[in-house]
Amino acid sequence: MEQEKEISKRRTFGIISHPDAGKTTLTEKLLLFGGAIHTAGAVKSNKFTKTAVSDFMEIEKQRGISVATSVMGFEYDGYSINILDTPGHKDFAEDTYRTLTAVDSVILVIDCVKGVEEQTRKLMGVCRMRNTPVIIFINKMDREGKDPYSLLQEIETELKISTRPLSWPIGIGAKFKGVYNLYSKQLQLFSPNKTKISEDVHLIEDINDNELQQRIGDNATLKLRDDVELIQMVYETFDDELYKGGYLAPVFFGSAINNFGVKELLETFVRIAPAPLPRMADTRIVYPAENSFSGFIFKIHANLDPNHRTRIAFCRVVSGRFERNKFYYHTRLEKKIRFTSPTSFMANEKSIVDEAYPGEVIGLFDTGNFKIGDTLSEGEQLQFKGMPSFSPEIFKELINRDPSKSKQLEKGVRQLTDEGVAQLFLKHPGNIKIIGTVGELQFEVIQFRLLHEYGASCSFTPLNYYKAYWVTSANKAALDNFFTAKRHLITYDKEERPVFMAESEWTLKTMQEIYKDIDFHLSSEFKTEAK
Ligand SMILES: Nc1nc2c(ncn2[C@@H]2O[C@H](COP(=O)(O)OP(=O)(O)OP(=O)(O)O)[C@@H](O)[C@H]2O)c(=O)[nH]1
Ligand SMILES: [Mg+2]
């Protein structure tokens, strides 16, 4: 069947890691191998040119870090691949966690010098919760890193996942000579090349062949033969099912910046990574091969294209076939909407698509209908589950620095907080704007984007709140009483729901004891929580 054929050739995955391990570089190189781009520079220099593919937001170019997930599609060997390059920094982890709901597997990048780092552990924890299949790419082998055996050991103990090397490095750092593909038994010799694909692949049918010595020298040959023998003794043959269940991670070695080991990764990836998987909704499991279209919004981004001030909602297609110009049912708003120009992604370059299949990520122009987590269907009352919600931990008052741009500021703050970059709380009287985030860097992003995308300048004054609690009660009098007594600590979210700003854990405990009829919720999602 057409639908099944389309599904089976799709692969949608996220690239995750601790900051700086090389996700964006690897993404770029995968696109290079996929023929989606023709040359790639080092990420740093590339970030200043128009060819910057993944880190295209102005702030990302300037700082050299990714602050938001970007989505890119390309074709390789008959497969239709969607990569979601996530930001590594913990201050943007909300974006990464949401992205993980939209992928079917991940590639986890580890810097061979640093090994397993803080965010590596956290992200792996999220993958383990969902049994997401993980492939590990050990990057930066051109640098003097840790010994490959100890890296594997570290991964197994720290990330609590079994590993199975599918490629093996010959040397490391200055002595790095290449990788031996344990699967196809091919030897790829290393010649540093940052922009083009190296063709220097040698097929060595038998590892005991003398040709190996000629190519890599006596010492490296002996070491490789020992290593391969040991690996075959220690590790069982690679088990596809264990990988798909999230128990076993195949491991590749390479150097993304030098295009090295990337092809092995890509070739094996398309073969073993899962095709689009079913998703859990509130009422049932939804399967990709079903006839009716369904999908959910996992990300919203305003001003993706600086020339067109538009807002895009990123929709992961779960089932059926999405068609342009057809009316779909927005299950939260209970209304039908149609999309005249849905787009597919090549980073910030978008092209209009007429149809989309499960696994695909499409961009829908949004005029304010969507919130993260919203579901679209062909009429069925569905709500996809598992979208994480976050409670802010850092609060600052937003100060307008240019009164002539108040309108722009107002609009900018609303749009950026709609994206889920941060949360907005309003305090009356005086329309005081309080921004709540989980990380300091988000304030920088907001300030930068307000200025560059809306022309509004602002600054922030730190506030001493501990956490924000949405308050509800069946007892209206008790609620009114509470609001009157705690007036100075009550704010309202964008939907005018009252929120209590607790100054400490102790304040909250005291409030809970005094105001027994009032419920305190750590997230605005308490309605869906209760369902
Ligand atoms: N030596 C060496 N450097 C590399 C390699 N791959 C990437 N880098 C460098 O590592 C730095 C970080 O690379 P990025 O690709 O931006 O890392 P990232 O994981 O996307 O970082 P965030 O998105 O900010 O978390 C850049 O300076 C790259 O040039 C490699 O194979 N070898
Ligand atoms: Mg990056």
Side-chain angles (χ1 to χ4, degrees):
M1 259 185 59
E2 184 67 17
Q3 172 86 356
E4 266 156 29
K5 214 174 96 201
E6 290 295 337
I7 295 169
S8 67
K9 66 176 216 191
R10 283 188 163 71
R11 299 286 181 271
T12 301
F13 71 104
I15 298 201
I16 55 172
S17 81
H18 192 82
D20 252 20
K23 295 175 291 296
T24 300
T25 312
L26 179 63
T27 302
E28 239 183 32
K29 299 312 164 88
L30 290 168
L31 294 175
L32 188 67
F33 279 97
I37 52 174
H38 297 291
T39 54
V43 171
K44 280 265 161 60
S45 60
N46 210 19
K47 276 174 180 167
F48 292 95
T49 72
K50 234 192 156 282
T51 48
V53 180
S54 179
D55 283 344
F56 53 83
M57 266 165 72
E58 198 54 38
I59 184 164
E60 297 180 314
K61 289 183 207 167
Q62 291 195 6
R63 297 274 304 247
I65 58 167
S66 308
V67 305
T69 298
S70 43
V71 181
M72 280 144 293
F74 69 96
E75 304 275 327
Y76 182 79
D77 200 18
Y79 291 92
S80 192
I81 300 170
N82 276 290
I83 309 186
L84 287 80
D85 173 26
T86 67
H89 200 290
K90 67 173 178 8
D91 288 7
F92 310 123
E94 285 178 56
D95 192 76
T96 302
Y97 292 165
R98 289 186 197 122
T99 299
L100 287 174
T101 64
V103 302
D104 301 300
S105 69
V106 300
I107 292 182
L108 173 66
V109 184
I110 290 178
D111 178 335
C112 73
V113 182
K114 299 197 172 134
V116 172
E117 297 174 86
E118 188 194 340
Q119 280 307 103
T120 329
R121 275 182 220 108
K122 290 215 174 109
L123 290 162
M124 189 61 212
V126 178
C127 292
R128 209 175 309 109
M129 255 159 44
R130 302 207 176 99
N131 300 324
T132 309
V134 179
I135 294 183
I136 294 174
F137 183 72
I138 299 188
N139 191 27
K140 307 198 183 181
M141 291 302 290
D142 57 314
R143 297 183 55 197
E144 301 298 331
K146 299 185 186 181
D147 162 74
Y149 290 109
S150 18
L151 277 167
L152 292 179
Q153 184 69 45
E154 188 176 326
I155 292 166
E156 295 221 347
T157 44
E158 296 227 16
L159 301 182
K160 299 181 190 70
I161 187 160
S162 307
T163 57
R164 172 61 163 102
L166 291 187
S167 79
W168 195 254
I170 306 166
I172 192 166
K175 294 209 185 81
F176 182 52
K177 292 202 161 63
V179 282
Y180 182 69
N181 188 330
L182 292 160
Y183 236 54
S184 63
K185 305 206 171 12
Q186 275 181 322
L187 179 72
Q188 197 189 356
L189 295 181
F190 177 59
S191 54
N193 194 338
K194 292 189 168 67
T195 51
K196 281 206 327 279
I197 299 166
S198 159
E199 296 293 332
D200 201 7
V201 183
H202 292 273
L203 188 68
I204 307 257
E205 300 275 4
D206 182 359
I207 199 167
N208 295 316
D209 201 316
N210 282 342
E211 195 194 338
L212 192 60
Q213 262 128 323
Q214 288 158 21
R215 298 248 173 232
I216 61 174
D218 288 348
N219 289 346
T221 304
L222 289 177
K223 175 90 173 73
L224 179 66
R225 284 179 187 155
D226 279 355
D227 284 343
V228 171
E229 198 184 321
L230 189 67
I231 292 160
Q232 268 148 6
M233 254 159 45
V234 174
Y235 293 95
E236 289 173 29
T237 44
F238 173 66
D239 183 333
D240 210 56
E241 291 307 309
L242 287 180
Y243 155 68
K244 287 213 170 84
Y247 302 106
L248 175 75
V251 180
F252 292 86
F253 293 84
S255 166
I257 203 161
N258 291 299
N259 300 317
F260 215 79
V262 178
K263 192 157 176 255
E264 285 76 13
L265 174 71
L266 183 58
E267 274 170 0
T268 314
F269 168 80
V270 291
R271 247 189 20 246
I272 65 172
L277 295 169
R279 287 287 186 284
M280 230 13 204
D282 53 350
T283 50
R284 64 187 185 90
I285 298 176
V286 180
Y287 294 90
E290 290 179 20
N291 285 331
S292 300
F293 160 77
S294 70
F296 63 89
I297 307 296
F298 66 94
K299 176 183 165 72
I300 292 172
H301 199 133
N303 314 318
L304 259 183
D305 176 352
N307 301 320
H308 302 96
R309 297 265 171 227
T310 47
R311 192 159 91 156
I312 304 270
F314 291 63
C315 174
R316 146 102 195 198
V317 179
V318 176
S319 67
R321 187 167 67 119
F322 173 91
E323 286 171 71
R324 184 155 85 99
N325 283 326
K326 195 166 164 179
F327 276 96
Y328 290 114
Y329 183 60
H330 186 308
T331 67
R332 180 176 56 87
L333 300 181
E334 300 181 5
K335 72 173 186 186
K336 292 203 158 176
I337 310 179
R338 80 177 164 158
F339 305 94
T340 49
S341 32
T343 56
S344 70
F345 294 98
M346 184 39 224
N348 55 340
E349 281 171 41
K350 303 186 294 296
S351 51
I352 293 194
V353 287
D354 288 320
E355 54 175 26
Y357 287 93
E360 269 178 76
V361 175
I362 47 173
L364 305 174
F365 283 97
D366 179 31
T367 49
N369 283 318
F370 286 119
K371 284 207 302 189
I372 288 164
D374 279 349
T375 300
L376 286 173
S377 76
E378 285 195 26
E380 186 177 346
Q381 193 57 48
L382 273 180
Q383 170 67 46
F384 285 105
K385 294 208 304 192
M387 190 59 68
S389 62
F390 298 84
S391 36
E393 286 165 15
I394 309 172
F395 300 89
K396 293 188 183 183
E397 184 181 336
L398 180 101
I399 314 283
N400 184 359
R401 287 271 156 227
D402 179 358
S404 71
K405 295 280 168 60
S406 300
K407 269 201 179 133
Q408 285 87 333
L409 185 86
E410 191 81 27
K411 182 177 171 203
V413 167
R414 292 221 165 239
Q415 292 202 340
L416 295 183
T417 49
D418 279 351
E419 287 182 20
V421 175
Q423 295 184 44
L424 175 66
F425 304 96
L426 296 168
K427 201 166 162 190
H428 307 309
N431 191 24
I432 293 168
K433 291 184 184 56
I434 296 169
I435 305 285
T437 72
V438 295
E440 280 292 342
L441 272 178
Q442 276 160 328
F443 290 100
E444 271 186 51
V445 171
I446 291 170
Q447 196 175 35
F448 189 99
R449 290 188 60 189
L450 281 175
L451 187 64
H452 289 257
E453 294 168 23
Y454 300 89
S457 45
C458 74
S459 61
F460 293 101
T461 312
L463 295 169
N464 251 340
Y465 298 138
Y466 158 71
K467 263 175 192 156
Y469 292 91
W470 278 258
V471 283
T472 55
S473 175
N475 181 344
K476 180 150 189 322
L479 206 55
D480 287 343
N481 189 11
F482 176 70
F483 290 158
T484 315
K486 296 288 144 204
R487 203 174 322 134
H488 61 296
L489 292 173
I490 302 297
T491 63
Y492 294 85
D493 74 4
K494 289 202 294 192
E495 270 122 58
E496 295 290 321
R497 290 177 297 195
V499 181
F500 171 64
M501 311 305 261
E503 288 156 312
S504 66
E505 201 177 343
W506 183 82
T507 328
L508 175 76
K509 280 216 179 93
T510 319
M511 291 304 117
Q512 283 170 324
E513 273 162 31
I514 303 176
Y515 299 94
K516 289 211 162 48
D517 276 359
I518 294 182
D519 298 315
F520 296 84
H521 314 267
L522 245 185
S523 122
S524 58
E525 306 298 311
F526 53 84
K527 275 188 199 144
T528 42
E529 261 169 33
K531 260 186 193 171

